[in-house]
Amino acid sequence: MSLDTETAEKAFGTPASLPTIKHKPWDGYQSRTPKRAPYSEAQVNATPFKLRAMNVVSDETGVADTAVKKYIRAEFTNKIFRDYDLVDMIRAVLGFSPEDLPDQPVSTSRRGKPRKFTLPYADVVNYCDATEKDSYAPFSRIVQSLMDQVFGKGHNAVGHQATPTPSAARRIYRTRNANLQRVNVRSMDAAMTPMKEQIVDGDYARLRPDMGFSAKQGRQGWEWLLACGEVKKQRFDAPDEESLTFTVQGLKQAAARKGVVGQKRKRASQEYAIGEGPLRHIRRKVRPRRSKTANQDGDESDNDEQNVVNDIASDSAEQNDNATISCLPMWLNDNEVQTAKYINELMSHGVRSYGIGYLLINTSMTLWYADRMGIVLSEPFDILDEPDKLLLVVAAIGAADYHTMGVSPFLYFPLAERTFARYDGAQLVFQPDVAYQVDDSVDEETKIKDQLVFNLAVNKKHRVYTEYGAFGRGTTVVPIKAAGKAEEMWGSDDLVVKIAWPTTSRKSEASFVVSIRSALRRHGKSQYLKYVVDMKCFVDQTMEELMLPRWLLNVTPSEERICRAMVLRRYEKLEAMNSVEEFRIIFIDVVRGHHWVFVTSAILHRDISVNNIMFYRVGSRTVGVLCDWDLAAVHDPREELKEDLADEEPPQFADVYQIASAPSQSPAPPAAALDPTNAGGEDIDGSSGGVLRTQPRYRTGTGPFMALDLLIPGRVPYHRYRHDLESFFFVLVYVCITFQPDEHTFTTLLEWEDQNIFTIGHNKTFSSTSTSIRPSSTARTHILCPC
């Protein structure tokens, strides 16, 4: 059985593609709503171009919750692996096994008889009888009680030193034998914290997760949360007190019989795209919970409670002990979307390789693991029917250090710190034989045999920046200062480390930078090196080398990614410029540098934008620098020639849009221009003797600054030198209109930042050719702007 997109939307309320987000027009337009280019939105999905997540989820008021939910549904649905074995998942992600659990609680009875683990009955009753928001506190007390039973009150928390390798750093937790009893040691003080009505501080959306696992006291921030949780529940009867006492022997024996993680499992490549996947029929035990009904006064009535449904059950499944439940492997329901929002926000802050969360619906819990390639969900379990599994989850999280909870293995915090709450004293550490040195005097890369240490230099002015969105590159920039051997090599200049997760198929940014700088020296153009980003060293680490949980889980993503870190000279953002003259110098510098890079190495940047143009000062001299060569490519004149000789010309705006006095008068583009099958890939032009274009063509760049040729529906033209020059022109226009010198900020041109790239092209063409909007556009420019 297969599902088409229409059936899926009706059944799950899930859009098959990202819906359009309405924006208010920028001041230059006379209409009240932005005009859409006359084409089907399906054509946008026919090209590999991808907008930044922030352009998708934000409007003129900031990040919009409805837009975030739509983004989650569109971006997450084909990146989920469900129903992973809970014990195996905890082993791979948290480095904890049932064998690490003590056989009995740390404390014993007065008579020395063995004790059993127990869920605190009073807190269980309060949890069962509470409304959703009132259930957070009793659930946190249940978790705290289990931690006390495993680790003892006070938890014996200790700090830890930097370990010799990132893989060893993932397992700070140690269990030792003492008098035949297992003694468990925590690496830091952290607790499951109720977040009722508390907004967590962050750079993007204003969200209130239900639960957070944190070592920080007081007001919480996404940068310092170690895990997050979502709770959905209604009131139901509590179980008998006797059923809340348990042992862990059965869990240990079952785990021993099954073996360890590493056996062959279903891989993500076996999953299906939307509309193609079969229904999976999974047989699960679902605990019957008898909900309390409303009395005559309606005291039990609560809209939140009445709308809560068990998200793992289908509408037709009966709530009995042997219910057969049908579910799709990838679609997210409303409760899962809410959890995904928190995971997405968690991954959008700090320096993280992955994030951890959970979803608790009544008594059914699912553990979540998310990295830059997707999400893995554990099989659900009942926290009251299977309390030994809840104990395993709590103990594993309680024993974990910040590396195990997903913080980058390159980051280390002070030995004396038992909290994870600030960057004071934190360091970035590359172990020996991990980093590659970039030496401008020789055209080669050599591994550095020494350990490299950098002190984090984070303050109010220079903060950690993390790109919004759980999936994708996840670019993070951290200000640092060299120490020890690193300072001997590169001095005390201000530096940054840029950590990103590009696909393994893409050539690394570091290799482009090395090639560019080498070519400039080789051709006697060393004077232009100052206009190209200065890289000190770089690190490339695969999933296996990092011991990333996904590798241990053996779940292959649709796009495998690699962790790449680059240590660079720190530059100032373009908005920090102080005058028109300074902007003129910066702009000319980067255009000149871009030209000589192309002349000497035939490399095109392909992502010219205000974010990628930066500068630094040497005394009174300002120097512009072109940064972020992530999307660069080597120009191939043969490909360009094939397009020039082909009978079929790429579509032109004059053919697609006949710009008149108003955007609404633009006619529909011709069918050939909208052919989604002609968006890239191999293309044989029969009329020119079978000319074969072997390289797939992608639309690359940042929408507001992309050349108009690249924003036309239809076949993607070959990226040429003039396309980058046109991007420089749009940077100039954007700066003139949006830069506010007094605040050192850019405002926005919302019409140029639409989620639909062809709408951006339509609006940019109209604003560039229509004389009716030029006065209102230029009126927005500040008197000090370079217009």
Side-chain angles (χ1 to χ4, degrees), residues 416-563:
E417 286 287 345
R418 295 190 298 180
T419 62
F420 176 70
R422 55 186 177 272
Y423 290 112
D424 296 344
Q427 294 180 323
L428 176 84
V429 180
F430 294 141
Q431 303 299 336
D433 292 320
V434 170
Y436 289 86
Q437 181 179 1
V438 180
D439 192 342
D440 277 350
S441 62
V442 292
D443 296 336
E444 62 181 20
E445 306 151 16
T446 57
K447 278 193 174 181
I448 301 174
K449 300 299 182 181
D450 302 291
Q451 184 186 69
L452 298 179
V453 178
F454 303 86
N455 295 322
L456 267 64
V458 180
N459 51 47
K460 291 183 178 179
K461 182 179 179 181
H462 299 102
R463 302 175 59 239
V464 173
Y465 165 80
T466 305
E467 189 175 16
Y468 181 82
F471 304 144
R473 301 180 63 85
T475 301
T476 302
V477 179
V478 185
I480 56 175
K481 297 273 286 188
K485 182 65 176 180
E487 187 175 9
E488 293 178 14
M489 299 174 66
W490 301 303
S492 57
D493 289 344
D494 293 330
L495 306 171
V496 297
V497 58
K498 176 182 176 182
I499 303 174
W501 290 82
T503 57
T504 54
S505 60
R506 176 170 288 281
K507 187 176 179 180
S508 71
E509 179 183 6
S511 65
F512 279 115
V513 174
V514 170
S515 298
I516 288 168
R517 299 184 69 86
S518 174
L520 287 171
R521 291 192 306 272
R522 192 169 58 252
H523 288 83
K525 301 297 180 182
S526 297
Q527 66 269 33
Y528 300 110
L529 287 171
K530 59 180 176 287
Y531 305 141
V532 179
V533 63
D534 182 9
M535 180 173 61
K536 308 300 183 183
C537 66
F538 67 91
V539 172
D540 287 350
Q541 293 276 278
T542 64
M543 290 195 300
E544 181 178 359
E545 290 170 328
L546 281 177
M547 294 290 287
L548 192 70
R550 177 175 291 274
W551 179 77
L552 297 171
L553 290 166
N554 197 24
V555 176
T556 303
S558 57
E559 282 188 333
E560 186 172 331
R561 295 183 176 272
I562 183 173
C563 180

Side-chain angles (χ1 to χ4, degrees), residues 7 27 49 56 105 178 202 303 307 468 492 530 560 605 641 701 773:
T7 305
D27 296 345
F49 177 87
V56 176
N303 288 335
N307 291 332
Y468 181 82
S492 57
K530 59 180 176 287
E560 186 172 331
H605 189 280
L641 181 61
I773 68 169

Side-chain angles (χ1 to χ4, degrees), residues 142-144 146-147 151 389-399:
I142 293 172
V143 171
Q144 187 65 44
L146 293 177
M147 283 199 180
F151 303 108
K389 290 186 176 180
L390 177 61
L391 179 72
L392 179 64
V393 172
V394 170
I397 292 178

